[in-house]
């Protein structure tokens, strides 16, 4: 009777525990399932600043896309750039940095840096790979425009405070690793409880009985002791059998588990006290099994409760993004081999440069060039406009085209000044043209400094488009010559037909620049019987830029100053200059002498160290920049 009650209670307990466990597993997939996103808000009352920076670590805090919502008065912008570029542009300006998220995941962590109260407007900076403009409110999905780290800059016009109402929504971890195990465990517990109700254990053999269940003692009583001893039915034998049966039952009960909780009491022999003692010993074992059963049920209950509680904690924890690590210097974190521009930036910059040059060329107005042109190219085009305003037949400079873009050369040198190059051949470009652009400082835009047509029949050396190293002009590591030596050698080669670099620097059979320059100088010297003439081509060291090529060599670009000096041989002799030079000199004849100045834009390929090949002139052109009388 007692065994049936225990079996029933245990089965009910298993079914209830199974239901709870199953419910916990289902709950993790339904009503306890974590939210798909979590939102953190910038604290109110933060110190106002004209700029707000979003740390790059916020974007990668969670897998998936981070959404930023900004509200503010009037117009504002959000720009994406490399962390070191953003840091460099911000400079010494006071700013706030969204650096992380609080432990509960509900608040954004802001740090304030004191500094200058205003900054230039960041709109239109070449440092930004992309910008989003808004008025009143902006919702922005923060996705990386290319590999590597990216930060964001929020601002109005640089003078007003940046918007302070900011929320960021992060993807949440919706995984529920306990759900399936709990559902499986719950199902097994329910099945175990059901089986326990249906199945009954077999009854054991009574102690003291024979194999057929009959009593081991004699049915007839005899007054003689010898009769008991000879038949085995004496009280001594019965006591020995009862004790052995009790020991067997005790061993069976001690080995019983919660899965077999019911143990029936052995039959009580009404004949003697010894059988009663056996009964008492036999009942003690099932009591021990019951204690084990209760402890086992308690353990299952505790484990189930722990799993349920743990799942709830996990669901809650998954809703809170971990705080961002402490922010270190963005410039130090930025990988040194990241190209300074991505392809989208190069194309946008080229379009703006080409547009500015077109406007200047059409109006013959150098002021229209200044936002995007500088250095030798600004000097040459300015003088070209002046000459063309007086000499209609004077040839215009080759137009600058953003397309067709043949290749780009982007430096990995992340300090300033930065130099990049593009090769284009659009309408009006008879041959491909090398466009060299330089950014002097973070808050300045790239400006065109050299336009150098490729020499006919020349192959442009292979340079990785994903970014390449730049070499100091005086560094010849792994090269036959340094950049300064290469361009200096070209200058010496142009000075004299018998230069020491005659066999060290060549040009193709269809590349005429060196040959034409030497022929022009010889013709002037021969035909100018009234004067003495000299020609010098000197490299401008600060203009030299050197890019590594794929074969271990390098491409050196820069400017040579070409001076043409003439002096009359005798008193009364006069020298005559052309109409183009006269437009700059203010006259055509001089009896005191004259000086013509040209800017030469050149590019020379330098073979790697150990090569037996000569250097090659890849591109060259010149433009008149000045003419004066002595």
């Amino acid at each position: 009777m007692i065994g049936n009650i225990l079996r029933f209670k245990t089965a009910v307990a298993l079914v209830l525990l199974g239901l709870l466990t199953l419910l916990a597993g289902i709950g993790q997939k339904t009503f306890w399932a974590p939210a798909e996103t979590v939102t953190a808000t910038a604290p109110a009352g933060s110190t106002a600043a004209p700029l707000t920076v979003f740390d790059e670590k916020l974007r990668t805090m969670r897998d998936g896309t981070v959404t930023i919502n900004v509200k503010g008065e009037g117009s504002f912008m959000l720009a994406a750039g490399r962390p070191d570029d953003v840091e460099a542009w911000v400079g010494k300006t006071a700013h706030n940095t969204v650096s992380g998220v609080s432990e509960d995941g509900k608040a954004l962590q802001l740090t304030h840096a004191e500094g200058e109260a205003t900054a230039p407007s960041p709109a239109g900076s070449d440092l930004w790979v992309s910008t989003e403009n808004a008025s009143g409110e902006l919702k922005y999905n923060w996705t990386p425009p290319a590999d590597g780290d990216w930060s964001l800059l929020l601002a109005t016009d640089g003078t007003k405070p940046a918007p302070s109402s900011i929320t960021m929504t992060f993807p949440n971890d919706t995984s529920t690793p306990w759900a399936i195990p709990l559902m499986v465990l719950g199902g097994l517990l329910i099945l175990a409880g059901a089986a326990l109700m249906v199945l009954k254990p077999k009854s054991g053999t009574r102690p003291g009985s024979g194999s057929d269940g009959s009593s081991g003692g004699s049915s007839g009583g005899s007054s003689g002791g010898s009769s008991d001893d000879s038949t085995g039915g004496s009280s001594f034998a019965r006591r020995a059998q009862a004790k052995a049966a009790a020991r067997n039952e005790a061993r069976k009960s001690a080995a019983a588990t919660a899965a077999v909780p019911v143990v029936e009491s052995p039959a009580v022999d009404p004949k003697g006290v010894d059988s009663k003692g056996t009964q008492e010993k036999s009942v003690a074992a099932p009591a021990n099994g019951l204690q084990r059963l209760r402890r086992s049920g308690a353990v299952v209950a505790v484990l189930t409760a722990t799993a349920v509680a743990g799942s709830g904690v996990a669901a809650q924890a998954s809703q809170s993004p971990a705080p961002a690590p402490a922010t270190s210097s963005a410039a130090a974190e930025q990988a040194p081999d990241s190209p300074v521009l991505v392809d989208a930036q190069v194309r946008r910059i080229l379009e703006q440069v080409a547009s500015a040059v077109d406007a200047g060329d059409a109006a013959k107005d150098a002021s229209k060039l200044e936002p995007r042109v500088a250095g030798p190219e600004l000097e040459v085009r300015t003088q070209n406009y002046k000459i063309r305003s007086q000499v209609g037949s004077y040839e215009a400079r080759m137009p600058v085209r953003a397309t067709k873009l043949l290749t780009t050369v982007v430096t990995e040198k992340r300090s300033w000044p930065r130099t990049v190059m593009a090769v284009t051949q659009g309408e009006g470009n008879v041959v491909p043209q090398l466009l060299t652009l330089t950014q002097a400082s973070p808050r300045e835009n790239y400006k065109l400094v050299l336009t150098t047509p490729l020499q006919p029949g020349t192959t442009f050396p292979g340079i990785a488009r994903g970014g390449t190293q730049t070499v100091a002009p005086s560094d010849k590591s792994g090269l036959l010559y340094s950049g300064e030596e290469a361009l200096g050698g070209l200058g010496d080669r142009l000075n004299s037909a018998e230069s020491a670099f005659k066999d060290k620097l060549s040009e193709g059979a269809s590349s005429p620049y060196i040959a034409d320059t030497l022929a022009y100088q010889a013709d002037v010297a021969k035909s100018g019987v009234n004067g003495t003439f000299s020609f010098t081509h000197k490299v401008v060291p600060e203009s030299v830029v050197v890019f590594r090529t794929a074969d271990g060599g390098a491409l050196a670009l820069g400017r040579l100053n070409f001076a043409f000096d003439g002096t009359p041989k005798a008193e009364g002799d006069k020298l005559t200059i052309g109409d183009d030079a006269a437009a700059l000199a203010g006259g055509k004849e001089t009896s005191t002498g004259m000086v013509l100045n040209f800017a030469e834009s050149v590019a020379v390929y330098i073979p790697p160290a150990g090569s037996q090949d000569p250097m090659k002139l890849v591109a060259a052109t010149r433009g008149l920049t000045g003419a004066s009388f002595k």
Side-chain angles (χ1 to χ4, degrees), residues 379-399:
E379 186 179 355
V380 169
R381 287 188 183 269
T382 298
Q383 298 298 64
N384 182 273
Y385 297 160
K386 185 175 182 179
I387 295 171
R388 287 170 57 205
S389 66
Q390 300 179 42
V391 183
S393 61
Y394 192 68
E395 186 177 4
R397 293 285 288 179
M398 184 179 290

Side-chain angles (χ1 to χ4, degrees), residues 129 169-170 199 284 287 313 315 373 404 407 413 527 610:
V129 69
T169 301
F170 299 87
L199 301 177
V313 172
V373 184
K404 177 182 176 183
T407 190
K413 173 178 166 286
S527 61

Side-chain angles (χ1 to χ4, degrees), residues 35-267:
E36 293 185 355
T37 60
V38 290
T39 299
T41 304
S46 301
T47 305
L51 307 173
T52 297
V53 177
F54 291 80
D55 190 278
E56 72 272 15
K57 295 181 179 63
L58 291 169
R59 184 182 62 81
T60 57
M61 182 180 294
R62 295 273 181 164
D63 292 336
T65 303
V66 177
T67 300
I68 300 174
N69 190 275
V70 180
K71 294 182 180 179
E73 297 181 359
S75 299
F76 55 89
M77 63 164 289
L78 189 67
R82 296 288 189 186
D84 60 333
D85 288 346
V86 173
E87 181 180 328
W89 195 95
V90 170
K92 298 181 180 179
T93 304
H95 62 281
N96 291 321
T97 300
V98 184
S99 56
V101 180
S102 62
E103 291 185 2
D104 62 5
K106 296 180 179 180
L108 295 173
Q109 296 174 337
L110 265 70
T111 57
H112 178 76
E114 296 291 343
E116 298 171 357
T118 62
S121 173
S125 172
D126 287 343
L127 291 182
W128 318 139
V129 69
S130 64
T131 56
E132 294 288 337
N133 298 309
S135 179
E137 184 174 2
L138 171 66
K139 185 176 181 180
Y140 176 76
N141 292 326
W142 191 359
T143 56
D147 292 338
D149 293 332
W150 299 91
S151 294
L152 298 177
L153 179 68
L154 176 64
T156 53
D157 61 355
T159 61
K160 301 176 183 178
S164 58
S165 178
I166 303 170
T167 61
M168 296 185 69
T169 301
F170 299 87
N172 195 21
D173 182 8
T174 58
S175 62
T176 52
W178 279 95
I180 300 301
L182 286 175
M183 286 189 281
V184 171
L185 179 59
L188 291 175
L189 289 173
I190 292 172
L191 289 175
L196 195 59
M197 288 184 181
V198 174
L199 301 177
K200 296 182 180 180
K202 295 181 180 180
S203 298
T205 303
R206 293 184 182 182
S209 63
S211 61
D212 59 353
S214 62
S215 175
S218 175
S219 59
S222 173
S223 61
S226 60
S227 174
D228 289 341
D229 292 327
S230 62
T231 60
S234 66
S235 60
F236 176 79
R238 288 198 300 273
R239 284 196 300 271
Q241 290 175 353
K243 290 179 180 179
R247 285 195 296 269
N248 289 335
E249 289 298 330
R251 285 195 296 269
K252 292 180 181 179
S253 298
T257 61
V260 189
V262 181
V263 180
E264 293 184 357
S265 301

Side-chain angles (χ1 to χ4, degrees), residues 260-577:
V260 189
V262 181
V263 180
E264 293 184 357
S265 301
V268 180
D269 190 336
K271 284 191 176 182
V273 177
D274 292 326
S275 295
K276 182 178 179 181
T278 302
Q279 180 193 20
E280 291 173 352
K281 294 178 181 178
S282 299
V283 171
N288 184 45
L290 177 59
Q291 291 172 0
R292 295 190 179 200
L293 172 63
R294 287 173 178 170
R295 288 198 298 269
S296 177
V299 171
V300 174
V302 170
L303 290 177
T304 303
T306 303
V308 173
S311 66
V313 172
Q316 181 180 4
S318 64
Q319 297 174 9
S320 303
T327 304
S328 59
S329 171
E333 291 290 333
Q334 181 62 45
D337 58 351
S338 297
V340 297
L341 296 175
V342 299
D343 191 62
Q345 287 173 287
V346 173
R347 292 179 183 276
R348 185 181 69 238
I349 292 168
L350 285 177
E351 289 173 358
Q352 294 177 3
V353 167
S355 178
V357 174
D358 279 348
D361 288 351
K364 298 177 185 176
D365 183 357
S367 65
K368 295 184 181 297
L369 300 175
E370 292 177 358
R372 282 297 187 176
V373 184
E377 191 61 26
L378 178 61
E379 186 179 355
V380 169
R381 287 188 183 269
T382 298
Q383 298 298 64
N384 182 273
Y385 297 160
K386 185 175 182 179
I387 295 171
R388 287 170 57 205
S389 66
Q390 300 179 42
V391 183
S393 61
Y394 192 68
E395 186 177 4
R397 293 285 288 179
M398 184 179 290
V400 173
R401 302 300 183 204
T403 56
K404 177 182 176 183
L405 179 60
L406 302 180
T407 190
T408 58
V409 180
V410 179
T411 180
E412 296 173 343
K413 173 178 166 286
R414 302 201 63 83
S415 59
W416 281 269
R418 295 174 172 179
T419 301
V420 300
M421 187 174 65
V423 182
T424 64
Q425 186 176 13
E427 183 180 357
N429 298 147
V430 180
V431 293
Q433 186 171 209
L434 311 186
L435 307 177
T436 306
L437 304 99
T438 298
Q439 185 182 37
S441 66
R443 288 183 175 177
E444 295 182 71
N445 281 339
Y446 281 89
K447 293 186 177 183
L448 180 68
V449 294
L450 297 172
T451 60
T452 317
L454 213 62
Q455 289 283 281
T458 299
T459 301
F460 187 77
I463 302 178
R465 289 197 63 174
T468 188
Q469 293 180 342
T470 53
V471 182
S474 59
D475 186 1
K476 62 181 296 182
S477 301
L479 302 171
L480 279 180
Y481 302 95
S482 69
E484 286 181 351
E485 290 173 338
L487 297 192
L490 173 62
D492 188 77
R493 177 83 174 88
L494 293 171
N495 287 339
S496 170
E498 301 304 321
S499 165
F501 281 86
K502 179 178 180 180
D503 297 325
K504 298 177 181 178
L505 194 152
S506 66
E507 59 180 348
S510 58
S511 303
Y513 190 81
I514 295 176
D516 284 357
T517 300
L518 291 173
Y520 166 73
Q521 293 171 173
D523 184 63
V524 169
K526 181 179 180 179
S527 61
V529 294
N530 295 331
T532 301
F533 303 97
S534 62
F535 309 92
T536 58
H537 302 258
K538 293 183 178 180
V539 63
V540 180
E542 59 269 22
S543 71
V544 180
V545 181
V546 184
F547 295 98
R548 286 281 186 187
T549 57
D551 63 356
L555 182 67
L557 302 98
R559 169 180 176 169
L560 303 180
N561 282 335
F562 172 23
F564 174 3
D565 187 287
T567 303
K569 285 183 177 180
E571 186 176 352
D573 288 342
K574 292 183 178 181
L575 302 178
T576 302
I577 58 177

